[in-house]
Amino acid sequence: MRNLDVLIIGAGAAGLMCAIEAAKRGRSVLVIDHARKAAGKIRISGGGRCNFTNLHATPANYLSQNPRFCVSALKRYTQHDFLAMVDRHRIPWHEKTLGQLFCDDSAQDIISMLLRELEAAGGKLQLETSVASIEKTGGRFHLATSSGGISAQSLVIATGGPSIPKMGATGFGYEVARKFDLKIVPPRAGLVPLTFSDANKALCQRLAGVSVDALVTFGKTQFREGLLFTHRGLSGPSILQISSYWQEGKPLTIDLNPTVDAFEVLRHARTQSPRQDLKTALAQVLPSRVAEEFSKEFNFSGRLADQSDKKLRHAADHVNRWQVLPAGTEGYRTAEVALGGVDTDELSSKTMEAKSVPGLFFIGEVVDVTGHLGGFNFQWAWSSGWAAGQAI
Ligand code: FAD
Protein backbone atom coordinates (compact mmCIF):
# COMPACT_ATOMS: atom_id res chain seq x y z
CA MET A 1 0.00 0.00 0.00
CA ARG A 2 1.42 3.34 -1.11
CA ASN A 3 0.76 6.24 1.31
CA LEU A 4 0.35 9.78 -0.01
CA ASP A 5 -0.92 13.19 1.01
CA VAL A 6 -2.70 13.75 -2.30
CA LEU A 7 -3.89 11.41 -5.04
CA ILE A 8 -5.22 13.02 -8.20
CA ILE A 9 -7.15 10.93 -10.73
CA GLY A 10 -6.84 12.42 -14.24
CA ALA A 11 -3.65 13.85 -15.77
CA GLY A 12 -5.46 16.44 -17.88
CA ALA A 13 -5.41 20.22 -17.66
CA ALA A 14 -7.02 20.54 -14.23
CA GLY A 15 -5.30 17.54 -12.62
CA LEU A 16 -1.80 18.59 -13.68
CA MET A 17 -2.32 22.19 -12.53
CA CYS A 18 -3.63 21.01 -9.16
CA ALA A 19 -0.71 18.57 -8.78
CA ILE A 20 1.85 21.29 -9.49
CA GLU A 21 0.36 23.65 -6.91
CA ALA A 22 -0.10 21.00 -4.20
CA ALA A 23 3.45 19.67 -4.75
CA LYS A 24 4.86 23.22 -4.57
CA ARG A 25 3.29 23.42 -1.11
CA GLY A 26 5.27 20.37 -0.02
CA ARG A 27 2.53 17.74 -0.28
CA SER A 28 3.42 14.28 -1.55
CA VAL A 29 1.42 14.13 -4.77
CA LEU A 30 0.71 11.38 -7.28
CA VAL A 31 -1.36 11.87 -10.46
CA ILE A 32 -2.71 8.71 -12.06
CA ASP A 33 -4.39 8.35 -15.45
CA HIS A 34 -5.62 5.35 -17.39
CA ALA A 35 -4.33 6.74 -20.69
CA ARG A 36 -0.92 5.94 -22.20
CA LYS A 37 -0.03 9.64 -22.41
CA ALA A 38 -0.92 12.60 -20.23
CA ALA A 39 -3.29 15.36 -21.31
CA GLY A 40 -4.75 13.82 -24.47
CA LYS A 41 -7.34 16.59 -24.82
CA ILE A 42 -4.72 19.32 -24.60
CA ARG A 43 -2.84 17.55 -27.42
CA ILE A 44 -5.83 17.62 -29.81
CA SER A 45 -7.21 20.98 -28.65
CA GLY A 46 -7.41 24.05 -30.82
CA GLY A 47 -6.65 22.02 -33.93
CA GLY A 48 -3.34 20.89 -32.37
CA ARG A 49 -2.32 24.39 -31.26
CA CYS A 50 -4.30 24.55 -27.98
CA ASN A 51 -6.40 27.64 -27.39
CA PHE A 52 -5.03 27.69 -23.84
CA THR A 53 -6.88 30.71 -22.46
CA ASN A 54 -8.83 33.82 -23.39
CA LEU A 55 -7.75 37.37 -22.61
CA HIS A 56 -11.35 38.38 -21.94
CA ALA A 57 -12.38 35.50 -19.66
CA THR A 58 -14.97 36.54 -17.06
CA PRO A 59 -17.65 34.55 -15.19
CA ALA A 60 -20.11 35.62 -17.93
CA ASN A 61 -18.37 33.15 -20.27
CA TYR A 62 -19.50 30.14 -18.23
CA LEU A 63 -22.70 28.11 -17.95
CA SER A 64 -23.62 26.57 -14.60
CA GLN A 65 -26.72 26.18 -12.46
CA ASN A 66 -24.94 28.59 -10.12
CA PRO A 67 -23.30 31.22 -12.34
CA ARG A 68 -21.51 32.72 -9.30
CA PHE A 69 -19.67 29.50 -8.40
CA CYS A 70 -16.76 30.09 -10.80
CA VAL A 71 -16.13 33.68 -9.67
CA SER A 72 -13.69 33.02 -6.83
CA ALA A 73 -11.38 30.60 -8.67
CA LEU A 74 -11.35 32.67 -11.88
CA LYS A 75 -10.50 35.78 -9.86
CA ARG A 76 -7.70 34.18 -7.86
CA TYR A 77 -6.00 32.45 -10.82
CA THR A 78 -6.62 34.48 -13.96
CA GLN A 79 -5.79 34.18 -17.64
CA HIS A 80 -2.88 36.58 -16.98
CA ASP A 81 -1.46 34.21 -14.34
CA PHE A 82 -1.53 31.33 -16.81
CA LEU A 83 -0.06 33.50 -19.55
CA ALA A 84 2.79 34.45 -17.20
CA MET A 85 3.64 30.74 -16.85
CA VAL A 86 3.53 30.29 -20.63
CA ASP A 87 5.86 33.28 -21.03
CA ARG A 88 8.23 31.99 -18.32
CA HIS A 89 8.60 28.84 -20.40
CA ARG A 90 9.18 30.97 -23.52
CA ILE A 91 6.34 29.30 -25.41
CA PRO A 92 5.52 31.32 -28.52
CA TRP A 93 1.83 32.24 -28.79
CA HIS A 94 -0.51 34.53 -30.66
CA GLU A 95 -3.99 35.98 -30.31
CA LYS A 96 -6.09 34.50 -33.09
CA THR A 97 -9.36 36.33 -32.66
CA LEU A 98 -11.66 37.57 -29.86
CA GLY A 99 -8.92 37.25 -27.19
CA GLN A 100 -8.27 33.57 -27.99
CA LEU A 101 -4.62 32.69 -27.28
CA PHE A 102 -3.04 29.80 -29.22
CA CYS A 103 0.44 28.26 -29.30
CA ASP A 104 2.38 29.30 -32.41
CA ASP A 105 3.85 25.81 -32.75
CA SER A 106 2.07 22.99 -30.97
CA ALA A 107 -0.19 22.09 -28.06
CA GLN A 108 2.64 19.81 -26.96
CA ASP A 109 4.41 22.97 -25.70
CA ILE A 110 1.69 23.38 -23.04
CA ILE A 111 1.86 19.69 -22.04
CA SER A 112 5.67 19.79 -21.78
CA MET A 113 5.43 22.95 -19.68
CA LEU A 114 3.01 21.33 -17.23
CA LEU A 115 5.09 18.15 -16.98
CA ARG A 116 8.27 20.18 -16.37
CA GLU A 117 6.52 22.21 -13.67
CA LEU A 118 5.23 19.01 -12.07
CA GLU A 119 8.66 17.45 -12.01
CA ALA A 120 10.28 20.61 -10.63
CA ALA A 121 7.71 20.73 -7.83
CA GLY A 122 8.35 17.06 -6.98
CA GLY A 123 4.96 15.68 -8.04
CA LYS A 124 4.76 12.20 -9.58
CA LEU A 125 2.81 10.95 -12.59
CA GLN A 126 1.78 7.37 -13.25
CA LEU A 127 0.05 6.52 -16.52
CA GLU A 128 -1.86 3.41 -17.65
CA THR A 129 -3.33 3.04 -14.18
CA SER A 130 -7.03 2.44 -13.67
CA VAL A 131 -9.06 2.52 -10.50
CA ALA A 132 -11.07 -0.51 -9.43
CA SER A 133 -12.50 0.80 -6.15
CA ILE A 134 -12.48 3.77 -3.78
CA GLU A 135 -13.29 3.57 -0.06
CA LYS A 136 -13.04 6.17 2.67
CA THR A 137 -12.20 4.86 6.12
CA GLY A 138 -10.41 6.37 9.08
CA GLY A 139 -10.32 9.79 7.41
CA ARG A 140 -8.31 8.48 4.43
CA PHE A 141 -9.13 7.31 0.92
CA HIS A 142 -8.14 3.77 0.00
CA LEU A 143 -8.00 2.87 -3.67
CA ALA A 144 -7.49 -0.42 -5.42
CA THR A 145 -5.76 0.36 -8.72
CA SER A 146 -4.32 -1.71 -11.56
CA SER A 147 -0.89 -1.02 -10.07
CA GLY A 148 -1.67 -1.80 -6.46
CA GLY A 149 -3.26 -0.20 -3.43
CA ILE A 150 -2.96 3.53 -2.72
CA SER A 151 -3.94 5.37 0.46
CA ALA A 152 -4.26 9.15 0.43
CA GLN A 153 -5.38 11.86 2.79
CA SER A 154 -6.97 13.84 -0.06
CA LEU A 155 -8.47 12.60 -3.30
CA VAL A 156 -8.93 14.89 -6.29
CA ILE A 157 -11.22 13.88 -9.14
CA ALA A 158 -9.99 15.52 -12.36
CA THR A 159 -11.26 13.00 -14.90
CA GLY A 160 -13.05 15.52 -17.14
CA GLY A 161 -16.25 14.72 -19.01
CA PRO A 162 -17.38 11.95 -21.37
CA SER A 163 -16.89 13.83 -24.65
CA ILE A 164 -14.73 12.07 -27.29
CA PRO A 165 -15.03 8.59 -25.72
CA LYS A 166 -12.63 7.12 -28.27
CA MET A 167 -9.87 9.10 -26.51
CA GLY A 168 -10.63 7.34 -23.23
CA ALA A 169 -12.95 10.02 -21.85
CA THR A 170 -15.35 8.60 -19.25
CA GLY A 171 -18.10 9.51 -16.84
CA PHE A 172 -15.94 8.16 -14.02
CA GLY A 173 -16.09 11.41 -12.04
CA TYR A 174 -19.88 11.29 -11.94
CA GLU A 175 -19.73 7.72 -10.59
CA VAL A 176 -17.41 8.83 -7.79
CA ALA A 177 -19.76 11.71 -6.97
CA ARG A 178 -22.74 9.32 -6.85
CA LYS A 179 -20.82 6.92 -4.65
CA PHE A 180 -20.38 9.70 -2.09
CA ASP A 181 -24.03 10.79 -2.47
CA LEU A 182 -23.24 14.07 -4.20
CA LYS A 183 -25.83 15.50 -6.60
CA ILE A 184 -25.15 15.64 -10.34
CA VAL A 185 -26.58 18.13 -12.82
CA PRO A 186 -27.49 15.77 -15.70
CA PRO A 187 -24.62 15.93 -18.18
CA ARG A 188 -25.15 16.50 -21.91
CA ALA A 189 -22.99 17.30 -24.92
CA GLY A 190 -21.95 20.95 -25.35
CA LEU A 191 -20.00 22.87 -28.00
CA VAL A 192 -21.28 20.33 -30.48
CA PRO A 193 -22.54 20.42 -34.12
CA LEU A 194 -26.31 20.30 -34.68
CA THR A 195 -28.08 17.77 -36.88
CA PHE A 196 -31.36 17.81 -38.83
CA SER A 197 -33.91 15.23 -39.89
CA ASP A 198 -36.16 17.56 -41.91
CA ALA A 199 -35.55 19.09 -45.36
CA ASN A 200 -32.66 21.11 -43.93
CA LYS A 201 -30.63 17.89 -43.73
CA ALA A 202 -30.41 17.61 -47.53
CA LEU A 203 -29.97 21.37 -47.88
CA CYS A 204 -26.98 21.35 -45.48
CA GLN A 205 -25.54 18.32 -47.29
CA ARG A 206 -25.65 20.15 -50.61
CA LEU A 207 -23.92 23.14 -49.04
CA ALA A 208 -21.36 21.13 -47.04
CA GLY A 209 -18.10 23.04 -46.76
CA VAL A 210 -19.60 26.53 -47.24
CA SER A 211 -19.09 28.94 -44.33
CA VAL A 212 -20.56 32.36 -43.57
CA ASP A 213 -20.32 34.94 -40.81
CA ALA A 214 -23.60 34.46 -38.91
CA LEU A 215 -25.54 35.72 -35.92
CA VAL A 216 -27.24 32.76 -34.22
CA THR A 217 -29.96 33.36 -31.63
CA PHE A 218 -31.67 31.11 -29.10
CA GLY A 219 -33.93 32.95 -26.67
CA LYS A 220 -31.90 35.87 -25.31
CA THR A 221 -28.55 34.31 -26.19
CA GLN A 222 -26.71 35.29 -29.37
CA PHE A 223 -23.35 34.51 -30.91
CA ARG A 224 -21.88 36.15 -33.95
CA GLU A 225 -19.12 33.98 -35.40
CA GLY A 226 -18.55 31.64 -38.32
CA LEU A 227 -21.20 29.10 -39.36
CA LEU A 228 -20.34 26.01 -41.40
CA PHE A 229 -22.72 23.82 -43.41
CA THR A 230 -21.77 20.15 -43.01
CA HIS A 231 -22.91 16.75 -44.30
CA ARG A 232 -24.84 16.22 -41.06
CA GLY A 233 -26.17 19.73 -40.42
CA LEU A 234 -24.59 22.89 -39.05
CA SER A 235 -21.31 23.53 -37.27
CA GLY A 236 -18.74 26.32 -36.93
CA PRO A 237 -18.07 28.49 -33.87
CA SER A 238 -21.47 30.24 -33.74
CA ILE A 239 -23.33 26.90 -33.84
CA LEU A 240 -21.01 25.23 -31.30
CA GLN A 241 -21.54 28.16 -28.94
CA ILE A 242 -25.34 28.17 -29.24
CA SER A 243 -25.48 24.36 -28.92
CA SER A 244 -24.63 24.72 -25.22
CA TYR A 245 -27.80 26.79 -24.74
CA TRP A 246 -30.12 25.12 -27.28
CA GLN A 247 -32.98 23.00 -25.91
CA GLU A 248 -34.33 20.04 -27.85
CA GLY A 249 -37.59 20.64 -29.69
CA LYS A 250 -37.06 24.41 -29.96
CA PRO A 251 -36.03 26.42 -33.04
CA LEU A 252 -32.95 28.60 -33.56
CA THR A 253 -32.90 31.81 -35.55
CA ILE A 254 -29.96 32.37 -37.87
CA ASP A 255 -28.97 35.61 -39.53
CA LEU A 256 -26.82 34.54 -42.46
CA ASN A 257 -25.72 38.11 -43.19
CA PRO A 258 -25.84 40.37 -40.11
CA THR A 259 -24.25 43.25 -42.04
CA VAL A 260 -27.27 43.96 -44.25
CA ASP A 261 -31.03 44.33 -44.18
CA ALA A 262 -31.76 41.83 -46.94
CA PHE A 263 -35.31 43.16 -47.48
CA GLU A 264 -33.98 46.65 -48.22
CA VAL A 265 -31.33 45.26 -50.58
CA LEU A 266 -33.93 43.24 -52.49
CA ARG A 267 -36.34 46.17 -52.67
CA HIS A 268 -33.58 48.41 -53.98
CA ALA A 269 -32.62 45.76 -56.55
CA ARG A 270 -36.27 45.55 -57.69
CA THR A 271 -36.19 49.29 -58.47
CA GLN A 272 -32.75 49.26 -60.08
CA SER A 273 -32.94 45.98 -62.03
CA PRO A 274 -36.57 44.85 -62.27
CA ARG A 275 -35.72 42.16 -64.81
CA GLN A 276 -33.19 40.51 -62.55
CA ASP A 277 -34.08 37.09 -61.17
CA LEU A 278 -34.74 36.88 -57.41
CA LYS A 279 -32.10 34.14 -57.14
CA THR A 280 -29.48 36.44 -58.71
CA ALA A 281 -30.47 39.31 -56.41
CA LEU A 282 -30.15 37.02 -53.37
CA ALA A 283 -26.52 36.43 -54.33
CA GLN A 284 -25.92 40.07 -53.29
CA VAL A 285 -26.61 39.12 -49.68
CA LEU A 286 -25.61 35.43 -49.58
CA PRO A 287 -22.68 33.47 -51.01
CA SER A 288 -23.79 32.46 -54.52
CA ARG A 289 -23.95 28.72 -53.68
CA VAL A 290 -26.17 29.43 -50.68
CA ALA A 291 -28.37 31.77 -52.75
CA GLU A 292 -28.75 29.07 -55.39
CA GLU A 293 -29.56 26.19 -53.01
CA PHE A 294 -31.92 28.32 -50.89
CA SER A 295 -33.73 29.44 -54.04
CA LYS A 296 -34.18 25.81 -55.09
CA GLU A 297 -35.24 24.66 -51.64
CA PHE A 298 -37.64 27.52 -50.85
CA ASN A 299 -38.84 28.26 -54.41
CA PHE A 300 -37.41 31.77 -54.76
CA SER A 301 -37.73 32.40 -58.48
CA GLY A 302 -39.06 34.85 -61.05
CA ARG A 303 -38.22 38.42 -62.03
CA LEU A 304 -37.88 40.95 -59.23
CA ALA A 305 -40.54 43.15 -60.88
CA ASP A 306 -43.06 40.35 -60.31
CA GLN A 307 -42.29 39.97 -56.58
CA SER A 308 -44.61 41.61 -54.05
CA ASP A 309 -43.16 43.16 -50.87
CA LYS A 310 -44.54 40.11 -49.06
CA LYS A 311 -42.57 37.75 -51.28
CA LEU A 312 -39.40 39.80 -50.94
CA ARG A 313 -39.91 39.85 -47.16
CA HIS A 314 -40.31 36.06 -47.18
CA ALA A 315 -37.03 35.62 -49.08
CA ALA A 316 -35.23 38.20 -46.93
CA ASP A 317 -36.39 36.43 -43.76
CA HIS A 318 -34.50 33.34 -44.94
CA VAL A 319 -31.37 35.51 -44.95
CA ASN A 320 -31.77 37.58 -41.77
CA ARG A 321 -34.17 35.37 -39.76
CA TRP A 322 -33.77 31.80 -40.99
CA GLN A 323 -35.63 29.57 -38.52
CA VAL A 324 -34.32 26.04 -38.13
CA LEU A 325 -35.43 23.19 -35.89
CA PRO A 326 -32.44 20.92 -35.15
CA ALA A 327 -33.26 17.26 -34.57
CA GLY A 328 -30.38 16.89 -32.14
CA THR A 329 -26.64 17.17 -31.74
CA GLU A 330 -23.76 14.96 -32.84
CA GLY A 331 -23.46 13.96 -29.17
CA TYR A 332 -20.37 13.11 -27.15
CA ARG A 333 -18.70 11.61 -30.23
CA THR A 334 -17.69 15.10 -31.40
CA ALA A 335 -18.65 17.42 -28.50
CA GLU A 336 -15.84 19.58 -27.13
CA VAL A 337 -17.27 19.49 -23.62
CA ALA A 338 -19.90 18.01 -21.37
CA LEU A 339 -22.35 20.45 -19.80
CA GLY A 340 -23.58 19.67 -16.30
CA GLY A 341 -21.60 17.53 -13.87
CA VAL A 342 -21.04 17.59 -10.12
CA ASP A 343 -23.56 20.04 -8.67
CA THR A 344 -21.73 23.14 -7.45
CA ASP A 345 -24.01 23.22 -4.36
CA GLU A 346 -21.99 20.25 -3.15
CA LEU A 347 -18.62 22.02 -3.43
CA SER A 348 -16.79 24.94 -1.84
CA SER A 349 -16.24 27.58 -4.53
CA LYS A 350 -12.99 28.55 -2.82
CA THR A 351 -11.38 25.11 -2.58
CA MET A 352 -13.48 22.75 -4.76
CA GLU A 353 -13.75 20.40 -1.77
CA ALA A 354 -16.99 18.46 -1.29
CA LYS A 355 -18.81 20.04 1.66
CA SER A 356 -20.04 16.68 2.94
CA VAL A 357 -16.88 14.63 2.25
CA PRO A 358 -13.77 16.25 3.74
CA GLY A 359 -10.68 15.57 1.61
CA LEU A 360 -12.60 14.87 -1.64
CA PHE A 361 -12.14 17.49 -4.38
CA PHE A 362 -13.63 17.87 -7.88
CA ILE A 363 -11.97 20.14 -10.47
CA GLY A 364 -12.18 20.96 -14.18
CA GLU A 365 -14.83 19.75 -16.57
CA VAL A 366 -16.33 17.16 -14.19
CA VAL A 367 -17.85 20.10 -12.25
CA ASP A 368 -21.04 21.81 -13.46
CA VAL A 369 -19.11 24.77 -14.92
CA THR A 370 -18.79 24.88 -18.71
CA GLY A 371 -17.11 27.60 -20.72
CA HIS A 372 -17.90 29.12 -24.07
CA LEU A 373 -15.73 28.19 -27.04
CA GLY A 374 -12.48 30.16 -27.15
CA GLY A 375 -10.06 29.02 -24.42
CA PHE A 376 -12.53 29.41 -21.55
CA ASN A 377 -12.71 25.71 -20.72
CA PHE A 378 -8.97 25.43 -20.21
CA GLN A 379 -9.03 28.60 -18.09
CA TRP A 380 -11.62 26.93 -15.84
CA ALA A 381 -9.41 23.83 -15.63
CA TRP A 382 -6.37 25.97 -14.66
CA SER A 383 -8.32 28.13 -12.17
CA SER A 384 -10.21 25.32 -10.45
CA GLY A 385 -7.08 23.12 -10.37
CA TRP A 386 -5.07 25.98 -8.90
CA ALA A 387 -7.74 26.72 -6.27
CA ALA A 388 -7.81 23.09 -5.07
CA GLY A 389 -4.00 22.99 -5.17
CA GLN A 390 -3.83 25.84 -2.64
CA ALA A 391 -6.19 24.12 -0.23
CA ILE A 392 -5.18 20.45 -0.20
P1 FAD B 1 -9.35 16.38 -19.31
O1 FAD B 1 -8.37 17.32 -19.92
O2 FAD B 1 -10.31 15.68 -20.19
O3 FAD B 1 -8.51 15.32 -18.48
C1 FAD B 1 -9.11 14.22 -17.87
C2 FAD B 1 -8.08 13.12 -17.73
O4 FAD B 1 -8.66 12.07 -16.95
C3 FAD B 1 -7.68 12.49 -19.06
O5 FAD B 1 -6.28 12.47 -19.17
C4 FAD B 1 -8.29 11.08 -19.02
O6 FAD B 1 -7.47 10.11 -19.66
C5 FAD B 1 -8.35 10.82 -17.53
N1 FAD B 1 -9.41 9.89 -17.16
C6 FAD B 1 -10.71 9.90 -17.54
N2 FAD B 1 -11.36 8.88 -16.97
C7 FAD B 1 -10.46 8.20 -16.22
C8 FAD B 1 -10.53 7.04 -15.41
N3 FAD B 1 -11.68 6.37 -15.28
N4 FAD B 1 -9.41 6.62 -14.78
C9 FAD B 1 -8.23 7.29 -14.93
N5 FAD B 1 -8.09 8.38 -15.70
C10 FAD B 1 -9.21 8.84 -16.33
N6 FAD B 1 -10.90 23.91 -24.42
C11 FAD B 1 -10.27 25.11 -24.54
O7 FAD B 1 -10.31 25.91 -23.61
N7 FAD B 1 -9.55 25.42 -25.68
C12 FAD B 1 -9.45 24.57 -26.74
O8 FAD B 1 -8.74 24.84 -27.72
C13 FAD B 1 -10.17 23.34 -26.67
N8 FAD B 1 -10.17 22.48 -27.72
C14 FAD B 1 -10.80 21.27 -27.58
C15 FAD B 1 -10.80 20.40 -28.68
C16 FAD B 1 -11.42 19.16 -28.57
C17 FAD B 1 -11.45 18.25 -29.77
C18 FAD B 1 -12.03 18.78 -27.35
C19 FAD B 1 -12.68 17.43 -27.20
C20 FAD B 1 -12.06 19.65 -26.28
C21 FAD B 1 -11.46 20.91 -26.38
N9 FAD B 1 -11.48 21.82 -25.32
C22 FAD B 1 -10.85 23.03 -25.45
C23 FAD B 1 -12.11 21.48 -24.03
C24 FAD B 1 -11.00 21.05 -23.05
O9 FAD B 1 -10.20 20.07 -23.67
C25 FAD B 1 -11.58 20.50 -21.76
O10 FAD B 1 -12.53 21.37 -21.24
C26 FAD B 1 -10.46 20.29 -20.75
O11 FAD B 1 -9.53 19.36 -21.26
C27 FAD B 1 -11.00 19.79 -19.41
O12 FAD B 1 -9.91 19.58 -18.57
P2 FAD B 1 -9.98 18.47 -17.43
O13 FAD B 1 -8.61 18.42 -16.83
O14 FAD B 1 -11.14 18.70 -16.56
O15 FAD B 1 -10.24 17.11 -18.20
Side-chain angles (χ1 to χ4, degrees):
M1 178 74 73
R2 204 160 159 187
N3 281 299
L4 296 162
D5 293 335
V6 181
L7 176 66
I8 299 172
I9 310 179
L16 291 173
M17 176 58 91
C18 179
I20 292 163
E21 291 302 315
K24 275 190 202 162
R25 291 174 51 247
R27 303 289 185 268
S28 61
V29 178
L30 174 67
V31 191
I32 60 173
D33 199 298
H34 65 179
R36 276 182 37 226
K37 286 185 169 175
K41 278 196 187 160
I42 298 183
R43 188 168 297 106
I44 61 161
S45 67
R49 292 226 163 91
C50 186
N51 177 193
F52 56 80
T53 192
N54 193 298
L55 286 177
H56 312 308
T58 72
N61 299 110
Y62 294 87
L63 291 88
S64 171
Q65 272 196 358
N66 174 4
R68 303 288 304 159
F69 181 82
C70 61
V71 171
S72 167
L74 289 173
K75 207 153 115 186
R76 285 189 302 140
Y77 189 83
T78 69
Q79 54 272 40
H80 306 291
D81 294 319
F82 189 76
L83 191 53
M85 190 195 312
V86 170
D87 283 341
R88 239 182 9 256
H89 286 257
R90 298 181 195 285
I91 296 173
W93 57 268
H94 61 278
E95 178 181 349
K96 198 166 170 190
T97 173
L98 304 169
Q100 301 170 6
L101 304 190
F102 284 77
C103 296
D104 284 358
D105 299 329
S106 158
Q108 184 59 45
D109 287 349
I110 298 293
I111 302 174
S112 304
M113 171 187 83
L114 294 168
L115 295 179
R116 278 203 299 276
E117 288 272 334
L118 181 66
E119 197 181 350
K124 297 277 179 278
L125 170 65
Q126 189 176 301
L127 297 167
E128 296 182 276
T129 302
S130 52
V131 176
S133 68
I134 302 176
E135 299 301 333
K136 189 177 185 205
T137 51
R140 289 181 72 84
F141 294 89
H142 305 281
L143 283 82
T145 78
S146 54
S147 37
I150 301 176
S151 162
Q153 195 183 346
S154 301
L155 177 64
V156 182
I157 307 300
T159 45
S163 63
I164 322 280
K166 77 168 186 232
M167 286 190 64
T170 66
F172 177 84
Y174 310 144
E175 287 166 36
V176 177
R178 278 189 208 106
K179 179 184 164 55
F180 287 97
D181 291 326
L182 306 181
K183 281 182 294 177
I184 306 274
V185 175
R188 63 187 174 91
L191 300 180
V192 63
L194 298 174
T195 58
F196 294 92
S197 55
D198 57 11
N200 285 331
K201 184 175 177 185
L203 177 64
C204 291
Q205 259 164 8
R206 294 199 300 274
L207 287 168
V210 175
S211 64
V212 294
D213 166 37
L215 177 72
V216 183
T217 306
F218 181 73
K220 289 189 179 141
T221 309
Q222 295 196 313
F223 290 97
R224 181 167 172 187
E225 287 182 65
L227 173 148
L228 176 70
F229 292 91
T230 75
H231 286 285
R232 292 187 201 88
L234 293 173
S235 187
S238 60
I239 292 294
L240 299 183
Q241 299 279 32
I242 211 77
S243 73
S244 296
Y245 291 84
W246 175 69
Q247 292 159 14
E248 227 167 299
K250 296 194 178 163
L252 292 177
T253 306
I254 301 177
D255 185 345
L256 292 165
N257 189 343
T259 62
V260 298
D261 179 338
F263 180 59
E264 287 308 322
V265 173
L266 294 178
R267 259 190 2 166
H268 183 71
R270 187 176 56 190
T271 316
Q272 296 298 305
S273 335
R275 279 186 295 184
Q276 195 177 52
D277 197 80
L278 175 56
K279 180 176 84 179
T280 313
L282 272 172
Q284 289 181 43
V285 290
L286 289 173
S288 52
R289 264 185 72 193
V290 180
E292 186 160 340
E293 292 300 341
F294 269 47
S295 298
K296 262 194 237 159
E297 186 66 36
F298 305 115
N299 300 318
F300 302 143
S301 63
R303 293 186 327 162
L304 285 174
D306 302 332
Q307 312 286 329
S308 63
D309 271 7
K310 196 174 162 201
K311 280 190 173 165
L312 288 190
R313 171 68 72 192
H314 181 61
D317 278 352
H318 282 75
V319 179
N320 291 134
R321 270 175 293 277
W322 184 36
Q323 290 252 335
V324 298
L325 182 64
T329 75
E330 288 189 7
Y332 289 129
R333 191 178 60 79
T334 59
E336 279 205 11
V337 284
L339 294 149
V342 178
D343 194 320
T344 56
D345 277 356
E346 303 282 11
L347 308 176
S348 151
S349 62
K350 188 151 184 255
T351 65
M352 308 294 138
E353 188 172 16
K355 292 173 189 166
S356 58
V357 190
L360 180 63
F361 296 72
F362 290 86
I363 55 175
E365 194 181 321
V366 72
V367 178
D368 173 35
V369 174
T370 306
H372 289 166
L373 186 77
F376 301 103
N377 282 298
F378 279 135
Q379 187 56 46
W380 170 246
W382 315 134
S383 297
S384 58
W386 184 92
Q390 307 311 305
I392 305 176

